[in-house]
Amino acid sequence: AKAAAVPDSLSPEALALLRVLRPQPLPVDELAAEAHISAREVLSAVTELEMEGLIEALPGKQYRQANDF
């Protein structure tokens, strides 16, 4: 599968999150700590990234890279 392109319109928080996301799911608090942003900013950024198809949401407010990214 062709890798998804990262849109220029992403917020700085979404870009920071994208750098720390992995194929393994991570909870919001861990993402916030690794990306150096608040949990509230993580939740805003994951919504943005989900709409772009760059991440997947999993049960328990955990997130990981989308398979084709």
Side-chain angles (χ1 to χ4, degrees):
K2 185 173 178 266
V6 176
D8 293 336
S9 60
L10 288 181
S11 68
E13 295 80 16
L15 290 170
L17 202 55
L18 215 45
R19 284 193 281 273
V20 300
L21 280 160
R22 300 181 183 85
Q24 313 88 306
L26 291 171
V28 169
D29 56 347
E30 217 171 300
L31 290 169
E34 288 195 33
H36 305 288
I37 60 178
S38 71
R40 177 188 227 147
E41 289 169 320
V42 168
L43 293 172
S44 174
V46 295
T47 301
E48 202 178 330
L49 294 169
E50 273 187 286
M51 291 183 347
E52 295 292 344
L54 298 173
I55 66 167
E56 293 177 18
L58 299 157
K61 282 202 184 327
Q62 295 200 63
Y63 301 90
R64 69 177 178 198
Q65 290 172 344
N67 290 332
D68 61 350
F69 182 64

